[in-house]
Structure formats: structure tokens, C-alpha cells
Amino acid sequence: MTVFRTLAVACTLALLAPAAAQAQTTKTTTAKKTTTTKKTTPVKKTTPAKKTTTTTTTAKAAVTKVVAPVVVPLTADEATGGLREALTQAVGKAVAQAGETDGFNANADIRIPFPPEAELVAATLRKLRAGALVDNFEVALNRAAETAATQAKPIFLNAVQNLSLQDALSLATSRETDAATTLLYEKTATDLRTAFQPTVQQSLEKTGAIKLYAEMVARYNKIPLVTPLNPQLVPYATEKTVDGLFALMAAEEGRIRANPAAQGSALLKRVFGK
């Protein structure tokens, strides 16, 4: 009986051994698959994360470079050069505009009126139905200014080159749109009138303004009981012609300061560009 039991146990163990071995093999394979999957998954997640970080850093660096431009301060030499160039450009523009037909006569801002000291002459002649003589004189007076303006450029440019610009930086950054022209006028207007007077006189003679003026004054002085007048036309016409040119120059300086895109040269853009 004991022998029979021993044989039965032995047979049972023999049948169970293959099943246990197969179970152990299955566990090992599953463990290996699980391990492989765990190792592969983190690698796929890590790669995109690094790319996103790099892109963000590059974008921030690009934004920083655009926001921080370097501004170089304006020098005194640049300001001086820019002011002289602006005045030179203004002279050229003013002379060209004033020298055209009706440059003075049709421009209400600079048209030269009848001499104030002889207004009584004009008023009296109009009452005597000689108004056409007065009108013809005013046109001839302004035509003379237009003719003289065409010869003004070298005289004005010489004044620009000789102008002292001790506070050029202040003038260049001034809020006054005609700061440089005003300085030129204050420093040179008297000398310009003296230098320009012979030119104006020739123009007055050429257009007949002097002859018409003399005729009007002579008619007036023949009127009984009036106080004879002998007003000087040439100094008056010279003053008004010079003042008219300065008015046009001031307007051109204002345009240069207000519109950097239309300033032309790099120096003007550098000095007056905002």
C-alpha cells in the first residue's frame, strides 16, 4: 500500500512540472514586454519638450533686439551743417517762387502795397478818376520785386555762409518752425537791403514803376493847397522785396522741419528727423 502511494505522488509531480515551467516562461516574457514599454515611452515624451523650450527662448531673444534701438546723440557740427543746408535750400526755394510771374503780385502774403507814406497820393488820385494810374503802378512795383528776386540768390547764400551759429543744437531742436530764418533775418537783413538796393532800382526802372511813381507824385503836388511830397520809392521797394523773400524762406524751413521724408539729404533727416 505504501508503495502504491509513493508511485501516485511521483506521477502527479511529473504531470505538474511542465505546467509550472510554462507559467514561469509566460511571466518572464510579460515582464520583459512591460519593461521595454516603460523604457520606450519616456524617450518619446522628452524630445518634443526640448524643442518647445528652444523655440520660446529664440523668440524672446528676437523681441529683445527689436525693442532696444541705439540712438546716437546729435553733434554740434551736425546741427550747424544741417541748419546751413536748410537755409540754403530755403533760399533756393524762395528765389524760385518769388521770381516767377506773379510770384509777388498774386501772393497775398508778400504782395507789395502802395507806399504808406504816399497813401494820400493814391487816395487823392482815385478821387480824381486816376485810379488806373495807381493800379498800374502797384503791378509794376511787384513786377520789379519779381525781377529782382531772380538775382537775389548769391547775395542771400553769402549771408547764410557768413552766419554765426553759436547755439546750433538749440536752433536745430527749437519748437519755432522758422528759428534759423529768424536768426538770419536779425543778423543780416540790414546788410542784405544795402547790397540788394541797386538790383531793385534797376528792376523798378525796367518795369516802369519809377516813372509811374514820379508821375503820380507830380500830379498830386500840382493840386492846390496840398503839402508837396517827395517819397523815396527804391528804399521802400527794397525793404519789401527782402522781407517777402524771408517770408518764403520761413515757410520752407517749416516744411523741412515738419516733413522728414521730404527733406532730401541724409544730414537734414538726421538733424530734423523726429
Side-chain angles (χ1 to χ4, degrees):
M1 188 70 177
T2 303
V3 174
F4 178 77
R5 287 180 178 178
T6 302
L7 288 173
V9 170
C11 288
T12 300
L13 290 174
L15 292 172
L16 291 175
Q22 184 176 358
Q24 184 64 30
T25 302
T26 302
K27 286 183 181 181
T28 303
T29 303
T30 304
K32 286 182 180 179
K33 287 182 180 179
T34 303
T35 303
T36 303
T37 302
K38 287 182 181 180
K39 286 182 181 179
T40 303
T41 302
V43 174
K44 290 182 180 179
K45 289 182 180 180
T46 303
T47 303
K50 287 183 179 180
K51 287 183 180 179
T52 302
T53 303
T54 303
T55 302
T56 304
T57 304
T58 305
K60 287 182 179 179
V63 171
T64 303
K65 289 181 181 179
V66 172
V67 173
V70 178
V71 179
V72 180
L74 186 69
T75 68
D77 287 341
E78 286 175 328
T80 300
L83 288 169
R84 291 195 191 284
E85 186 170 338
L87 286 172
T88 298
Q89 181 173 315
V91 167
K93 184 77 172 182
V95 167
Q97 186 175 344
E100 295 178 351
T101 301
D102 283 333
F104 269 86
N105 191 55
N107 187 336
D109 293 330
I110 64 174
R111 188 178 193 275
I112 304 176
F114 203 91
E117 66 271 22
E119 279 292 348
L120 186 57
V121 174
T124 302
L125 291 177
R126 289 189 186 280
K127 289 179 181 179
L128 297 174
R129 297 182 180 180
L133 180 61
V134 177
D135 294 337
N136 291 338
F137 163 73
E138 288 186 348
V139 172
L141 175 61
N142 283 275
R143 290 283 184 261
E146 293 160 9
T147 301
T150 61
Q151 303 177 50
K153 191 171 182 178
I155 299 174
F156 275 72
L157 289 180
N158 183 61
V160 169
Q161 295 306 314
N162 292 327
L163 180 65
S164 176
L165 295 168
Q166 296 179 350
D167 198 8
L169 283 172
S170 177
L171 285 170
T173 57
S174 174
R175 293 183 179 179
E176 298 295 329
T177 59
D178 60 349
T181 302
T182 299
L183 178 65
L184 181 66
Y185 182 87
E186 292 173 350
K187 299 293 185 182
T188 67
T190 301
D191 292 337
L192 281 172
R193 288 169 187 153
T194 300
F196 201 40
Q197 186 165 310
T199 302
V200 174
Q201 182 169 354
Q202 291 175 4
S203 297
L204 290 170
E205 292 173 351
K206 182 177 180 180
T207 62
I210 288 181
K211 183 178 180 180
L212 289 170
Y213 194 61
E215 182 179 346
M216 286 189 299
V217 172
R219 284 194 184 188
Y220 175 80
N221 287 340
K222 288 179 180 179
I223 299 173
L225 303 178
V226 300
T227 302
L229 295 176
N230 186 28
Q232 298 298 309
L233 180 61
V234 175
Y236 170 75
T238 302
E239 178 183 357
K240 290 301 180 182
T241 302
V242 170
D243 290 353
L245 287 169
F246 269 110
L248 296 175
M249 287 176 59
E252 179 62 18
E253 180 187 348
R255 282 190 286 269
I256 291 173
R257 289 178 181 269
N259 188 8
Q263 290 164 2
S265 76
L267 180 58
L268 288 180
K269 291 178 182 177
R270 165 76 173 139
V271 174
F272 297 110
K274 307 301 180 184

